Amino acid sequence: MGFLSGLEHCVREGEPLSAHTWFRFGGLAQYWAEPTSLEDLTAIVKRSHDEGAAVRLLGGGSNVVVRDAGVRGVVVHLSAPVFSQISVQGRRLKVGGGAKLSHVVSMCASRGLAGMEQLVGIPGVVGGALHGNAGSHVADIGQWTVGATVMTRTGEIVVRDAADLQFSHRDSSLNELVILDAEFEFEQDDPQALTQKMQQTWIVAKAKQPTIGQYAGCIFKDPGGVSASSLIEDAGLKGERIGEVAICERNANFMVAEPGAQCDDLLSLIDLVRSRVSEQLGVDLEPQIEIW
Ligand SMILES: Cc1cc2nc3c(=O)[nH]c(=O)nc-3n(C[C@H](O)[C@H](O)[C@H](O)COP(=O)(O)OP(=O)(O)OC[C@H]3O[C@@H](n4cnc5c(N)ncnc54)[C@H](O)[C@@H]3O)c2cc1C
């Protein structure tokens, strides 16, 4: 186990990342860490830093694609309950970075905390959502964020307040190594009305996503407020495929992978879409999905 010796209870070698990402392909993580406490996490981060080993965070794996060669260094996954705590105080909610976004969305609706119901249907965890400022066409998570606690690459814990945070379309200034927790503030509304709105939004969102069970990812940012899916359709690319990866019929900004798909197929399809949309419509599409 080398520089991570003594942490065998929460670190293993050669973990297939296909088991932890939505596309279900890609190679191995050299080390896979699921720290059981803040002390474990700090030790992993500090030792990796001292050793010069790369460290990455993986949340729900819905916005990450792993190359077939896998990744060197440590991939950290905050699955332990200590990283998923949720506490409510009046209009404020404090949530661990490992908490599922879907839990937070439904808890907010049932407590009468308005806004988050608009994010129903977005997979992943709170840390992943904050890192990329996840959202819908009408709202994103950054707009309710009033603070966050992060861990830097050297293992230092830093508290960042609202004045210190910036959010833009699918991007945030929360780019430290680990988002440990975040605090949100909401307006109050009727829980029943919010729950109903959440259910209606969920039905609409699901109709625009790949079907349940498909291995998929949302690929591009919407450039300048125009939807990437409409640009891809306008370029005549709906249904296009390379190998076992295809552009989704329901929403052209998703790509879906069939069993046996390889990361290279996806990367080639991304290149094809970017070059066709640029040639035909003069728009440069920027990937939202991260490629490891
Ligand atoms: C079916 C489907 C529907 C989707 N719909 C939407 C949508 O409507 N709107 C939208 O915005 N996105 C959407 N996405 C994209 C994706 O779900 C979001 O970007 C989501 O917020 C990613 O969260 P995650 O936990 O899966 O992050 P991951 O994919 O695990 O990671 C994404 C990034 O966040 C970082 N990260 C994860 N956890 C932490 C942490 N604790 N601390 C620091 N960094 C961290 C990772 O290192 C990585 O850089 C969709 C994806 C799919 C597959």
Side-chain angles (χ1 to χ4, degrees), residues 211-266:
T211 50
I212 289 164
Q214 275 188 311
Y215 305 147
C218 183
I219 308 296
F220 298 105
K221 296 182 183 181
D222 291 334
V226 184
S227 90
S229 68
S230 64
L231 292 168
I232 297 167
E233 272 192 55
D234 290 349
L237 287 159
K238 207 164 186 179
E240 190 82 33
R241 65 183 301 133
I242 291 183
E244 301 307 319
V245 182
I247 293 173
C248 179
E249 290 288 345
R250 282 188 173 194
N251 178 337
N253 197 23
F254 282 93
M255 291 186 186
V256 291
E258 271 151 37
Q262 299 198 326
C263 188
D264 282 346
D265 297 335
L266 177 80

Short mmCIF file of all heavy atoms in Angstrom, two decimals, residues 211-266:
data_model
loop_
_atom_site.label_atom_id
_atom_site.label_comp_id
_atom_site.label_asym_id
_atom_site.label_seq_id
_atom_site.Cartn_x
_atom_site.Cartn_y
_atom_site.Cartn_z
N THR A 211 -33.57 6.96 -20.97
CA THR A 211 -34.46 6.13 -20.17
C THR A 211 -33.69 5.49 -19.02
O THR A 211 -32.47 5.32 -19.09
CB THR A 211 -35.10 5.02 -21.02
OG1 THR A 211 -34.06 4.36 -21.73
CG2 THR A 211 -36.10 5.57 -21.98
N ILE A 212 -34.42 5.12 -17.95
CA ILE A 212 -33.80 4.51 -16.78
C ILE A 212 -33.09 3.23 -17.21
O ILE A 212 -33.61 2.46 -18.01
CB ILE A 212 -34.89 4.22 -15.72
CG1 ILE A 212 -35.35 5.57 -15.12
CG2 ILE A 212 -34.37 3.31 -14.61
CD1 ILE A 212 -36.63 5.51 -14.37
N GLY A 213 -31.87 3.07 -16.73
CA GLY A 213 -31.11 1.87 -17.09
C GLY A 213 -30.13 2.12 -18.23
O GLY A 213 -29.23 1.33 -18.45
N GLN A 214 -30.30 3.25 -18.96
CA GLN A 214 -29.32 3.54 -20.01
C GLN A 214 -28.06 4.14 -19.39
O GLN A 214 -28.15 4.92 -18.44
CB GLN A 214 -29.90 4.54 -21.03
CG GLN A 214 -30.73 3.86 -22.11
CD GLN A 214 -31.14 4.84 -23.19
OE1 GLN A 214 -31.64 5.93 -22.90
NE2 GLN A 214 -30.95 4.44 -24.43
N TYR A 215 -26.90 3.78 -19.93
CA TYR A 215 -25.64 4.34 -19.44
C TYR A 215 -25.40 5.63 -20.21
O TYR A 215 -25.22 5.59 -21.43
CB TYR A 215 -24.50 3.36 -19.68
CG TYR A 215 -24.74 1.99 -19.08
CD1 TYR A 215 -24.26 0.85 -19.69
CD2 TYR A 215 -25.47 1.85 -17.90
CE1 TYR A 215 -24.49 -0.41 -19.14
CE2 TYR A 215 -25.70 0.60 -17.35
CZ TYR A 215 -25.22 -0.52 -17.98
OH TYR A 215 -25.45 -1.74 -17.43
N ALA A 216 -25.43 6.76 -19.49
CA ALA A 216 -25.50 8.01 -20.22
C ALA A 216 -24.81 9.16 -19.51
O ALA A 216 -24.50 9.07 -18.32
CB ALA A 216 -26.98 8.37 -20.39
N GLY A 217 -24.61 10.25 -20.23
CA GLY A 217 -24.09 11.47 -19.64
C GLY A 217 -24.53 12.68 -20.43
O GLY A 217 -24.81 12.58 -21.63
N CYS A 218 -24.61 13.80 -19.71
CA CYS A 218 -24.97 15.09 -20.30
C CYS A 218 -23.64 15.72 -20.73
O CYS A 218 -22.76 15.90 -19.91
CB CYS A 218 -25.67 15.91 -19.21
SG CYS A 218 -26.28 17.48 -19.73
N ILE A 219 -23.50 16.04 -22.02
CA ILE A 219 -22.14 16.26 -22.55
C ILE A 219 -21.67 17.72 -22.60
O ILE A 219 -20.55 18.01 -22.18
CB ILE A 219 -22.02 15.64 -23.97
CG1 ILE A 219 -22.50 14.18 -23.95
CG2 ILE A 219 -20.59 15.75 -24.49
CD1 ILE A 219 -21.68 13.24 -23.09
N PHE A 220 -22.52 18.64 -23.10
CA PHE A 220 -22.02 20.00 -23.35
C PHE A 220 -22.73 21.05 -22.49
O PHE A 220 -23.88 20.87 -22.09
CB PHE A 220 -22.22 20.37 -24.82
CG PHE A 220 -21.46 19.49 -25.78
CD1 PHE A 220 -22.12 18.51 -26.52
CD2 PHE A 220 -20.09 19.63 -25.93
CE1 PHE A 220 -21.43 17.70 -27.40
CE2 PHE A 220 -19.38 18.81 -26.80
CZ PHE A 220 -20.05 17.84 -27.54
N LYS A 221 -22.01 22.18 -22.26
CA LYS A 221 -22.65 23.34 -21.63
C LYS A 221 -23.53 24.02 -22.69
O LYS A 221 -23.25 23.90 -23.89
CB LYS A 221 -21.58 24.33 -21.17
CG LYS A 221 -20.68 23.79 -20.09
CD LYS A 221 -19.67 24.84 -19.64
CE LYS A 221 -18.74 24.24 -18.61
NZ LYS A 221 -17.74 25.17 -18.10
N ASP A 222 -24.55 24.74 -22.23
CA ASP A 222 -25.39 25.51 -23.16
C ASP A 222 -24.64 26.81 -23.48
O ASP A 222 -24.47 27.64 -22.57
CB ASP A 222 -26.75 25.84 -22.53
CG ASP A 222 -27.61 24.59 -22.35
OD1 ASP A 222 -27.40 23.62 -23.11
OD2 ASP A 222 -28.46 24.59 -21.45
N PRO A 223 -24.22 27.02 -24.72
CA PRO A 223 -23.41 28.22 -25.00
C PRO A 223 -24.27 29.47 -25.07
O PRO A 223 -25.23 29.52 -25.84
CB PRO A 223 -22.77 27.90 -26.37
CG PRO A 223 -23.66 26.89 -26.99
CD PRO A 223 -24.41 26.17 -25.90
N GLY A 224 -23.94 30.44 -24.24
CA GLY A 224 -24.64 31.74 -24.27
C GLY A 224 -26.14 31.64 -24.17
O GLY A 224 -26.86 32.36 -24.85
N GLY A 225 -26.62 30.70 -23.36
CA GLY A 225 -28.06 30.59 -23.12
C GLY A 225 -28.80 29.76 -24.18
O GLY A 225 -29.98 29.46 -24.01
N VAL A 226 -28.14 29.40 -25.28
CA VAL A 226 -28.79 28.55 -26.30
C VAL A 226 -28.62 27.10 -25.86
O VAL A 226 -27.56 26.72 -25.35
CB VAL A 226 -28.09 28.73 -27.68
CG1 VAL A 226 -28.82 27.93 -28.76
CG2 VAL A 226 -27.99 30.19 -28.04
N SER A 227 -29.66 26.26 -26.06
CA SER A 227 -29.49 24.89 -25.57
C SER A 227 -28.60 24.10 -26.53
O SER A 227 -28.75 24.15 -27.76
CB SER A 227 -30.85 24.22 -25.37
OG SER A 227 -31.26 23.57 -26.52
N ALA A 228 -27.63 23.39 -25.93
CA ALA A 228 -26.70 22.59 -26.73
C ALA A 228 -27.47 21.54 -27.52
O ALA A 228 -27.14 21.24 -28.66
CB ALA A 228 -25.67 21.94 -25.81
N SER A 229 -28.55 21.00 -26.91
CA SER A 229 -29.30 19.94 -27.60
C SER A 229 -29.92 20.46 -28.91
O SER A 229 -29.90 19.78 -29.93
CB SER A 229 -30.36 19.33 -26.68
OG SER A 229 -31.35 20.27 -26.43
N SER A 230 -30.43 21.71 -28.91
CA SER A 230 -31.04 22.22 -30.14
C SER A 230 -29.96 22.45 -31.19
O SER A 230 -30.19 22.21 -32.38
CB SER A 230 -31.86 23.48 -29.87
OG SER A 230 -31.01 24.51 -29.43
N LEU A 231 -28.78 22.88 -30.80
CA LEU A 231 -27.69 23.09 -31.77
C LEU A 231 -27.28 21.75 -32.39
O LEU A 231 -27.05 21.65 -33.60
CB LEU A 231 -26.48 23.73 -31.08
CG LEU A 231 -26.67 25.17 -30.60
CD1 LEU A 231 -25.53 25.59 -29.68
CD2 LEU A 231 -26.76 26.11 -31.80
N ILE A 232 -27.21 20.71 -31.56
CA ILE A 232 -26.79 19.39 -32.06
C ILE A 232 -27.85 18.86 -33.03
O ILE A 232 -27.52 18.32 -34.09
CB ILE A 232 -26.53 18.43 -30.87
CG1 ILE A 232 -25.38 18.96 -30.01
CG2 ILE A 232 -26.22 17.01 -31.36
CD1 ILE A 232 -25.23 18.30 -28.65
N GLU A 233 -29.11 19.09 -32.69
CA GLU A 233 -30.20 18.68 -33.60
C GLU A 233 -30.14 19.46 -34.90
O GLU A 233 -30.25 18.89 -35.99
CB GLU A 233 -31.56 18.92 -32.94
CG GLU A 233 -32.02 17.76 -32.12
CD GLU A 233 -33.48 17.92 -31.72
OE1 GLU A 233 -34.33 18.11 -32.61
OE2 GLU A 233 -33.75 17.87 -30.50
N ASP A 234 -29.92 20.79 -34.78
CA ASP A 234 -29.87 21.64 -35.99
C ASP A 234 -28.72 21.22 -36.91
O ASP A 234 -28.80 21.40 -38.12
CB ASP A 234 -29.71 23.12 -35.61
CG ASP A 234 -30.97 23.67 -34.96
OD1 ASP A 234 -32.01 22.97 -34.99
OD2 ASP A 234 -30.92 24.78 -34.39
N ALA A 235 -27.68 20.68 -36.34
CA ALA A 235 -26.54 20.22 -37.17
C ALA A 235 -26.80 18.82 -37.74
O ALA A 235 -25.91 18.22 -38.35
CB ALA A 235 -25.26 20.24 -36.33
N GLY A 236 -28.00 18.31 -37.50
CA GLY A 236 -28.41 17.02 -38.10
C GLY A 236 -27.73 15.82 -37.46
O GLY A 236 -27.56 14.79 -38.11
N LEU A 237 -27.39 15.96 -36.19
CA LEU A 237 -26.60 14.89 -35.56
C LEU A 237 -27.40 13.93 -34.69
O LEU A 237 -26.84 12.97 -34.15
CB LEU A 237 -25.48 15.52 -34.71
CG LEU A 237 -24.35 16.14 -35.53
CD1 LEU A 237 -23.59 17.17 -34.69
CD2 LEU A 237 -23.39 15.05 -36.01
N LYS A 238 -28.70 14.18 -34.52
CA LYS A 238 -29.49 13.31 -33.65
C LYS A 238 -29.42 11.86 -34.15
O LYS A 238 -29.59 11.61 -35.35
CB LYS A 238 -30.94 13.79 -33.61
CG LYS A 238 -31.61 13.40 -32.33
CD LYS A 238 -32.88 14.18 -32.13
CE LYS A 238 -33.46 13.89 -30.78
NZ LYS A 238 -34.67 14.63 -30.52
N GLY A 239 -29.14 10.95 -33.23
CA GLY A 239 -29.09 9.53 -33.61
C GLY A 239 -27.72 9.09 -34.13
O GLY A 239 -27.49 7.90 -34.30
N GLU A 240 -26.81 10.05 -34.37
CA GLU A 240 -25.45 9.70 -34.85
C GLU A 240 -24.77 8.78 -33.84
O GLU A 240 -24.99 8.88 -32.64
CB GLU A 240 -24.65 11.01 -34.99
CG GLU A 240 -23.34 10.90 -35.69
CD GLU A 240 -23.46 10.91 -37.22
OE1 GLU A 240 -24.38 11.59 -37.75
OE2 GLU A 240 -22.67 10.23 -37.85
N ARG A 241 -23.94 7.86 -34.32
CA ARG A 241 -23.23 6.98 -33.37
C ARG A 241 -21.83 6.66 -33.85
O ARG A 241 -21.55 6.70 -35.05
CB ARG A 241 -24.02 5.69 -33.12
CG ARG A 241 -24.16 4.80 -34.33
CD ARG A 241 -25.02 3.59 -34.00
NE ARG A 241 -24.48 2.81 -32.91
CZ ARG A 241 -25.20 2.37 -31.86
NH1 ARG A 241 -26.47 2.62 -31.77
NH2 ARG A 241 -24.64 1.64 -30.93
N ILE A 242 -20.97 6.36 -32.88
CA ILE A 242 -19.64 5.83 -33.19
C ILE A 242 -19.46 4.62 -32.28
O ILE A 242 -19.59 4.73 -31.05
CB ILE A 242 -18.52 6.87 -32.95
CG1 ILE A 242 -18.63 7.99 -34.00
CG2 ILE A 242 -17.14 6.20 -33.00
CD1 ILE A 242 -17.55 9.06 -33.94
N GLY A 243 -19.19 3.49 -32.88
CA GLY A 243 -19.06 2.26 -32.09
C GLY A 243 -20.34 2.02 -31.31
O GLY A 243 -21.44 2.05 -31.87
N GLU A 244 -20.19 1.84 -30.01
CA GLU A 244 -21.36 1.55 -29.16
C GLU A 244 -21.88 2.78 -28.43
O GLU A 244 -22.60 2.66 -27.44
CB GLU A 244 -21.02 0.45 -28.15
CG GLU A 244 -20.58 -0.88 -28.77
CD GLU A 244 -21.57 -1.40 -29.79
OE1 GLU A 244 -22.79 -1.31 -29.56
OE2 GLU A 244 -21.11 -1.88 -30.85
N VAL A 245 -21.48 3.97 -28.87
CA VAL A 245 -21.96 5.20 -28.22
C VAL A 245 -22.78 6.01 -29.23
O VAL A 245 -22.35 6.20 -30.36
CB VAL A 245 -20.79 6.05 -27.68
CG1 VAL A 245 -21.31 7.30 -26.98
CG2 VAL A 245 -19.93 5.23 -26.72
N ALA A 246 -23.95 6.46 -28.79
CA ALA A 246 -24.84 7.18 -29.71
C ALA A 246 -25.37 8.46 -29.06
O ALA A 246 -25.40 8.58 -27.83
CB ALA A 246 -26.02 6.28 -30.08
N ILE A 247 -25.78 9.40 -29.92
CA ILE A 247 -26.47 10.60 -29.42
C ILE A 247 -27.91 10.20 -29.10
O ILE A 247 -28.57 9.54 -29.89
CB ILE A 247 -26.40 11.73 -30.47
CG1 ILE A 247 -24.93 12.16 -30.60
CG2 ILE A 247 -27.29 12.90 -30.08
CD1 ILE A 247 -24.67 13.14 -31.69
N CYS A 248 -28.34 10.61 -27.92
CA CYS A 248 -29.64 10.18 -27.40
C CYS A 248 -30.80 10.74 -28.25
O CYS A 248 -30.79 11.91 -28.63
CB CYS A 248 -29.75 10.68 -25.96
SG CYS A 248 -31.27 10.29 -25.16
N GLU A 249 -31.77 9.89 -28.52
CA GLU A 249 -32.93 10.32 -29.32
C GLU A 249 -33.81 11.31 -28.56
O GLU A 249 -34.39 12.21 -29.15
CB GLU A 249 -33.77 9.09 -29.73
CG GLU A 249 -33.10 8.18 -30.75
CD GLU A 249 -33.04 8.79 -32.16
OE1 GLU A 249 -33.74 9.79 -32.40
OE2 GLU A 249 -32.26 8.28 -32.98
N ARG A 250 -33.90 11.14 -27.24
CA ARG A 250 -34.81 12.01 -26.47
C ARG A 250 -34.26 13.41 -26.29
O ARG A 250 -35.01 14.36 -26.18
CB ARG A 250 -34.99 11.43 -25.06
CG ARG A 250 -35.93 10.27 -25.01
CD ARG A 250 -36.13 9.96 -23.56
NE ARG A 250 -37.15 8.97 -23.36
CZ ARG A 250 -37.69 8.71 -22.18
NH1 ARG A 250 -37.30 9.38 -21.12
NH2 ARG A 250 -38.60 7.80 -22.07
N ASN A 251 -32.93 13.51 -26.15
CA ASN A 251 -32.30 14.80 -25.89
C ASN A 251 -30.88 14.70 -26.44
O ASN A 251 -30.06 13.93 -25.95
CB ASN A 251 -32.28 15.06 -24.38
CG ASN A 251 -31.59 16.36 -24.01
OD1 ASN A 251 -30.78 16.88 -24.76
ND2 ASN A 251 -31.92 16.88 -22.84
N ALA A 252 -30.63 15.51 -27.48
CA ALA A 252 -29.37 15.35 -28.22
C ALA A 252 -28.14 15.78 -27.42
O ALA A 252 -27.01 15.56 -27.86
CB ALA A 252 -29.45 16.13 -29.53
N ASN A 253 -28.34 16.40 -26.25
CA ASN A 253 -27.17 16.74 -25.43
C ASN A 253 -26.75 15.59 -24.53
O ASN A 253 -25.84 15.72 -23.72
CB ASN A 253 -27.41 18.01 -24.62
CG ASN A 253 -26.08 18.59 -24.11
OD1 ASN A 253 -25.03 18.33 -24.68
ND2 ASN A 253 -26.15 19.37 -23.04
N PHE A 254 -27.43 14.47 -24.62
CA PHE A 254 -26.98 13.27 -23.90
C PHE A 254 -26.37 12.29 -24.89
O PHE A 254 -26.82 12.20 -26.03
CB PHE A 254 -28.16 12.56 -23.21
CG PHE A 254 -28.60 13.24 -21.94
CD1 PHE A 254 -29.60 14.20 -21.95
CD2 PHE A 254 -28.00 12.92 -20.72
CE1 PHE A 254 -30.00 14.83 -20.78
CE2 PHE A 254 -28.40 13.55 -19.55
CZ PHE A 254 -29.40 14.50 -19.58
N MET A 255 -25.36 11.57 -24.43
CA MET A 255 -24.87 10.44 -25.21
C MET A 255 -25.14 9.19 -24.40
O MET A 255 -25.07 9.22 -23.16
CB MET A 255 -23.39 10.59 -25.53
CG MET A 255 -23.13 11.72 -26.53
SD MET A 255 -21.43 11.82 -27.06
CE MET A 255 -21.49 13.33 -28.05
N VAL A 256 -25.48 8.10 -25.08
CA VAL A 256 -25.78 6.85 -24.38
C VAL A 256 -24.82 5.76 -24.88
O VAL A 256 -24.48 5.72 -26.05
CB VAL A 256 -27.25 6.41 -24.56
CG1 VAL A 256 -28.19 7.36 -23.85
CG2 VAL A 256 -27.64 6.34 -26.02
N ALA A 257 -24.42 4.92 -23.94
CA ALA A 257 -23.45 3.86 -24.27
C ALA A 257 -24.11 2.50 -24.12
O ALA A 257 -24.86 2.27 -23.16
CB ALA A 257 -22.26 3.97 -23.33
N GLU A 258 -23.82 1.63 -25.06
CA GLU A 258 -24.32 0.27 -24.94
C GLU A 258 -23.23 -0.62 -24.37
O GLU A 258 -22.05 -0.25 -24.39
CB GLU A 258 -24.78 -0.21 -26.32
CG GLU A 258 -26.24 0.15 -26.53
CD GLU A 258 -26.62 0.38 -27.95
OE1 GLU A 258 -26.09 -0.33 -28.82
OE2 GLU A 258 -27.45 1.27 -28.19
N PRO A 259 -23.61 -1.80 -23.86
CA PRO A 259 -22.59 -2.68 -23.29
C PRO A 259 -21.46 -2.91 -24.31
O PRO A 259 -21.73 -3.06 -25.50
CB PRO A 259 -23.35 -3.97 -23.01
CG PRO A 259 -24.77 -3.54 -22.84
CD PRO A 259 -24.96 -2.35 -23.73
N GLY A 260 -20.22 -2.89 -23.80
CA GLY A 260 -19.07 -3.09 -24.69
C GLY A 260 -18.50 -1.77 -25.21
O GLY A 260 -17.49 -1.76 -25.91
N ALA A 261 -19.16 -0.64 -24.87
CA ALA A 261 -18.68 0.66 -25.33
C ALA A 261 -17.32 0.97 -24.71
O ALA A 261 -17.02 0.53 -23.60
CB ALA A 261 -19.68 1.74 -24.95
N GLN A 262 -16.53 1.75 -25.46
CA GLN A 262 -15.23 2.16 -24.93
C GLN A 262 -15.18 3.68 -24.87
O GLN A 262 -15.87 4.36 -25.65
CB GLN A 262 -14.14 1.65 -25.85
CG GLN A 262 -14.14 0.14 -25.93
CD GLN A 262 -12.84 -0.40 -26.46
OE1 GLN A 262 -12.23 0.24 -27.31
NE2 GLN A 262 -12.43 -1.54 -25.96
N CYS A 263 -14.34 4.16 -23.97
CA CYS A 263 -14.25 5.61 -23.80
C CYS A 263 -13.85 6.28 -25.10
O CYS A 263 -14.33 7.37 -25.43
CB CYS A 263 -13.24 5.92 -22.70
SG CYS A 263 -13.22 7.66 -22.29
N ASP A 264 -12.98 5.63 -25.89
CA ASP A 264 -12.53 6.24 -27.15
C ASP A 264 -13.69 6.51 -28.11
O ASP A 264 -13.66 7.49 -28.86
CB ASP A 264 -11.50 5.34 -27.85
CG ASP A 264 -10.13 5.47 -27.18
OD1 ASP A 264 -9.95 6.43 -26.40
OD2 ASP A 264 -9.27 4.62 -27.43
N ASP A 265 -14.72 5.65 -28.09
CA ASP A 265 -15.91 5.88 -28.94
C ASP A 265 -16.57 7.20 -28.54
O ASP A 265 -16.95 8.01 -29.37
CB ASP A 265 -16.96 4.76 -28.77
CG ASP A 265 -16.43 3.41 -29.22
OD1 ASP A 265 -15.52 3.38 -30.06
OD2 ASP A 265 -16.95 2.38 -28.72
N LEU A 266 -16.71 7.38 -27.24
CA LEU A 266 -17.36 8.60 -26.73
C LEU A 266 -16.54 9.83 -27.11
O LEU A 266 -17.09 10.83 -27.58
CB LEU A 266 -17.52 8.51 -25.20
CG LEU A 266 -18.12 9.77 -24.57
CD1 LEU A 266 -19.62 9.77 -24.73
CD2 LEU A 266 -17.77 9.88 -23.12
#
